Amino acid sequence: MTVPSDTSPAAVRCRLDVLLGDPAHDLVDAVLAAAGPARSTTVRTVRPTTVTVRPSGAVLVRYAVEVERTGRGIARETLVAATGSRIPDGAAVVAGEVGGAAIEVGLWRWPHDPALPALAHVLDCGRLRALLRDAGIATTEPITVRLRSYRPARRAVLAITVGADDFFAKVVPRAALPGLRRRHELLADSLPVPRLLAATDDGLALMPALAGVPGRAALRHGDRLPEPAALESLLDRMPPELTSLPSRPSHRDRARHSATVLALTTATDDAGRARMNRLADAVANADAGDHPVVAVHGDFYENQLLLRHGAVTGLLDVDTAGPGERLDDWATLLAHLAVADGAGARAWTGDVLRHLERRFDPRHLRPRVAAAVLGLATGPFRTQQPGWAQRTAQRVAVAQRWLRAG
């Protein structure tokens, strides 16, 4: 379903007021009432856990809901509400009027995400056992499934334990599965990327868990980290066939996207929105050089690496692998380190910069880092972190420092 969206700050604020304010309780009531007798369920709390705003003005909110059911005690539910172009086909739609403006809200309960039909299937024990059996994993042992991440209407990752063996299920929209499968096929021959054990037409990919400690945990614990030359070797092993796949937006386009989202969600007046737009213009107009198109990871940062004794044992989330400029992979890593806390992040940043400045013009690197930091600046609001306004301002300031340094 595609619903035209008014991108004015006032229209976006109206949607946010509905989805983050008191009307959210009514929306949750509507979903739960459709699932069973309304008189048996009382909504106690509705807490937004993620709030995604698109440049189109569309909004999507994920809620943690606490309900009390007659004779069954307290239960916790996950519900999602979406507006505008974020409403997927198959969502229950509630229409109304707020402040004289019409609004439609699409709603669904976890795990019945209409954009991720395989999600409910992987949580069905019978279907999961059949999938494992098709992958050659026949077992009568108990199966444990734990949610690792969920981006409504986009993807979910679940950890599956069968006896002593660990697996991961990634759930994506049906249309995204062929590309995901192709990337794993291309990468598994030359990089520590898991081969898919099974895939289903409705968007589920099953893969083995890889050994190693996530890079973010290694950084936090002061573990040994890969040398930049080892990371360069890893990236250089990306197969050239990836360049035939669709490309991601350029760092300039991503900067404008992020600035628009920041202007809609965090700027409180026209002057603040103008500052965001000027920053995006400065990033877009900075000299980023001309670099060859090569195979890139597309979202390369420390937590996409599994490590053991400083060596990379796993490369994760290859959904974005495709054609691009190598400098953008490095810029993404530096952006994540720039917003991380601790001496370890600063030390690794220094190592990476010394390595890169012997290979690239620093002027070409820094606007790309600034663009990636702007993307990360949307995170505190999106995840509704306490003090998100201050955290956002800090990240915007980091982006400005990287740009000025160029």
Side-chain angles (χ1 to χ4, degrees):
M1 174 184 296
T2 301
V3 179
S5 286
D6 183 347
T7 59
S8 71
V12 174
R13 176 51 53 191
C14 175
R15 297 184 191 105
L16 290 172
D17 286 345
V18 170
L19 298 183
L20 302 183
D22 290 339
H25 285 260
D26 297 331
L27 295 172
V28 168
D29 279 334
V31 176
L32 295 179
R39 63 181 180 277
S40 66
T41 300
T42 302
V43 177
R44 291 167 59 106
T45 61
V46 176
R47 180 173 60 86
T49 57
T50 58
V51 182
T52 303
V53 176
R54 306 294 294 175
S56 66
V59 179
L60 184 149
V61 180
R62 175 182 168 186
Y63 303 102
V65 179
E66 192 175 75
V67 298
E68 184 173 4
R69 292 192 171 93
T70 303
R72 295 169 59 188
I74 303 298
R76 290 172 178 80
E77 297 257 11
T78 296
L79 285 89
V80 181
T83 68
S85 59
R86 298 307 302 269
I87 302 177
D89 290 335
V93 177
V94 176
E97 189 174 286
V98 178
I103 184 170
E104 287 189 345
V105 180
L107 303 158
W108 64 90
R109 299 170 65 207
W110 164 273
H112 305 288
D113 188 323
L116 303 176
L119 185 55
H121 298 169
V122 77
L123 294 172
D124 179 288
C125 185
R127 292 190 182 191
L128 181 55
R129 281 196 184 278
L131 177 67
L132 292 168
R133 187 169 56 250
D134 290 345
I137 309 161
T139 180
T140 58
E141 296 189 67
I143 299 175
T144 302
V145 180
R146 301 180 307 278
L147 179 67
R148 294 294 294 270
S149 66
Y150 174 46
R151 291 199 170 188
R154 290 184 59 186
R155 73 171 196 169
V157 178
L158 302 103
I160 300 170
T161 300
V162 184
D165 297 320
D166 293 318
F167 306 90
F168 283 97
K170 179 170 284 188
V171 179
V172 296
R174 281 191 178 94
L177 185 66
L180 178 64
R181 181 188 284 137
R182 179 63 174 153
R183 288 171 172 86
H184 278 264
E185 289 172 350
L186 290 172
L187 288 160
D189 285 337
S190 55
L191 289 158
V193 171
R195 294 185 184 277
L196 298 188
L197 301 173
T200 63
D201 291 341
D202 57 359
L204 185 148
L206 180 71
M207 63 196 77
L210 300 179
V213 176
R216 187 169 296 160
L219 188 64
R220 187 170 60 248
H221 297 150
D223 297 345
R224 184 180 170 192
L225 300 168
E227 295 293 330
L231 296 180
E232 181 174 47
S233 175
L234 182 81
L235 292 171
D236 284 347
R237 285 153 52 198
M238 303 285 287
E241 292 87 349
L242 288 168
T243 57
S244 66
L245 298 176
S247 60
R248 296 190 75 201
S250 69
H251 76 279
R252 297 178 176 89
D253 291 337
R254 294 197 300 272
R256 294 193 184 282
H257 172 112
S258 300
T260 300
V261 172
L262 289 167
L264 290 171
T265 57
T266 65
T268 57
D269 54 24
D270 289 342
R273 289 185 279 274
R275 283 193 297 272
M276 287 294 102
N277 291 329
R278 284 197 299 272
L279 180 54
D281 288 342
V283 171
N285 294 328
D287 178 15
D290 293 319
H291 296 265
V293 173
V294 297
V296 299
H297 181 277
D299 192 24
F300 186 71
Y301 64 98
E302 76 282 359
N303 224 38
Q304 307 289 36
L305 303 172
L306 294 176
L307 307 176
R308 176 176 286 172
H309 307 304
V312 178
T313 58
L315 181 63
L316 307 178
D317 286 347
V318 297
D319 314 44
T320 54
E325 297 179 6
R326 173 68 67 237
L327 207 49
D328 284 328
D329 271 345
W330 289 110
T332 302
L333 172 61
L334 288 168
H336 280 265
L337 295 178
V339 302
D341 295 323
R346 291 191 293 273
W348 206 17
T349 295
D351 291 344
V352 171
L353 279 175
R354 284 187 291 274
H355 177 83
L356 294 178
E357 288 172 353
R358 294 192 294 268
R359 289 160 172 76
F360 300 98
D361 187 330
R363 293 174 303 172
H364 299 169
L365 172 65
R366 294 180 182 274
R368 298 168 189 261
V369 179
V373 173
L374 268 185
L376 297 176
T378 65
F381 177 84
R382 185 180 67 252
T383 57
Q384 293 291 283
Q385 293 180 19
W388 61 260
Q390 181 181 5
R391 291 172 181 264
T392 299
Q394 290 169 345
R395 293 187 177 189
V396 170
V398 170
Q400 291 170 323
R401 288 198 295 273
W402 273 95
L403 189 60
R404 285 198 300 268

